Amino acid sequence: MDQNSLPPIQITARDDAVLKALVGFVRAEALQLGDRLPTERILAERLKVSRNTVREALTRWEGLGLVERRQGSGTYLKAAVSPDMLHMPLTLAGGNDFTSLMQTLEIRRALEAEAAALCAERASQADIAEIARKLDIMEQAFRTREGMSSEEDWEFHQAIYRVSGNPLFEQIIAAMHELFHRFWEHPLGVRDFGHASFPYHRTIYERIAARDPQGARAEALKLIATVEDDLKRGAAKLKLSSQT
């Protein structure tokens, strides 16, 4: 890999310039998905900027789902990049209150249903096998831990977003990663939150494997409906306890 193909930048708009320079480097070096980028130190030296500037740029890419930063290993390319990329940062209200969780769920409903339908249309046999593998891992974790497991569940849904064929799905979801994980933190005091959604993961997979877009969409909507029911159940209990 020739780091000399990454020219130093001389302009003042450093954040955007670093991102554009990184895009140029990726394209010049013909890096493929899964390839490792140079270290922050090397990038900073070549760009004539601080390591903190490079780190912030890579953090932006990570938030967009373009790279994956692995502790002790490095930064790896996850999605295709181009000079024409538009960066769309999301500003989202946090919190574990009913309103915030419902707003997040409404976005998830739209994304989940459409991604499942597209996945059923576009998945190859290898893709379907990988989704099945993620499903088996998730189901095993559920039975072992007697409840939904955030990471295994997240990986299953990520596999579907990835196979949808539209990188925006995975990038938007990656940007909302923290918000989505709040659904596994016993929101509103519901200890068995998400348990009712468990069987729908397999029915979604079955519809994808059957190449049934409408069926996959319908099963995804059923899954989200169980999560909404859990939220409403938790909100009702909190309201009742506040009145006593």
Side-chain angles (χ1 to χ4, degrees):
M1 184 181 294
D2 181 12
Q3 276 80 33
N4 291 325
S5 62
L6 185 62
I9 55 176
Q10 305 296 333
I11 58 178
T12 57
R14 288 296 175 96
D15 283 351
D16 288 338
V18 169
L19 292 172
K20 289 179 181 179
L22 286 173
V23 169
F25 175 78
V26 167
R27 292 168 67 86
E29 295 296 328
L31 294 182
Q32 303 299 311
L33 301 189
D35 286 350
R36 185 170 63 182
L37 273 65
T39 64
E40 291 177 0
R41 179 183 62 79
I42 291 174
L43 291 173
E45 288 175 355
R46 297 305 307 162
L47 293 172
K48 307 301 183 189
V49 297
S50 69
R51 290 179 66 176
N52 188 56
T53 299
V54 171
R55 187 176 300 116
E56 289 175 356
L58 292 176
T59 297
R60 287 178 64 183
W61 270 18
E62 184 178 31
L64 293 167
L66 301 177
V67 297
E68 178 183 3
R69 302 167 87 175
R70 302 174 189 170
Q71 184 69 32
S73 179
T75 302
Y76 294 81
L77 191 65
K78 281 186 62 179
V81 296
S82 77
D84 302 320
M85 284 192 314
L86 295 176
H87 302 286
M88 300 184 296
L90 297 175
T91 301
L92 304 165
N96 285 339
D97 60 282
F98 177 75
T99 299
S100 296
L101 290 168
M102 280 299 297
Q103 288 173 346
T104 303
L105 188 64
E106 287 167 359
I107 298 300
R108 185 180 171 188
R109 177 184 286 113
L111 294 173
E112 200 99 13
E114 189 61 23
L118 290 174
C119 185
E121 291 179 1
R122 299 171 178 175
S124 66
Q125 285 302 123
D127 292 331
I128 291 173
E130 176 62 9
I131 294 171
R133 189 179 72 84
K134 297 291 187 182
L135 175 63
D136 288 342
I137 293 172
M138 190 214 75
E139 289 181 336
Q140 180 61 35
F142 180 90
R143 296 186 181 99
T144 301
R145 302 171 191 174
E146 297 182 351
M148 294 301 293
S149 175
S150 60
E151 288 307 316
E152 287 81 3
D153 184 81
W154 175 259
E155 288 296 324
F156 170 77
H157 290 288
Q158 280 287 88
I160 292 175
Y161 291 128
R162 195 170 296 122
V163 176
S164 72
N166 187 334
L168 286 176
F169 278 113
E170 191 175 3
Q171 291 174 34
I172 292 171
I173 290 301
M176 300 178 70
H177 180 275
E178 183 179 348
L179 279 179
F180 277 24
H181 268 56
R182 290 176 182 162
F183 286 98
W184 290 284
E185 297 172 354
H186 307 301
L188 307 180
V190 180
R191 301 302 301 176
D192 62 346
F193 193 95
H195 287 204
S197 72
F198 175 71
Y200 293 106
H201 292 79
R202 178 156 291 278
T203 58
I204 291 171
Y205 161 73
E206 289 172 348
R207 292 300 89 210
I208 290 172
R211 313 288 188 182
D212 177 6
Q214 295 306 316
R217 178 184 284 110
E219 294 305 310
L221 290 173
K222 290 176 185 177
L223 185 153
I224 297 299
T226 68
V227 178
E228 182 175 356
D229 287 343
D230 282 345
L231 286 177
K232 291 179 176 178
R233 177 161 56 95
K237 285 184 178 180
L238 286 178
K239 183 178 181 180
L240 183 61
S241 63
S242 67
Q243 294 174 345
T244 57

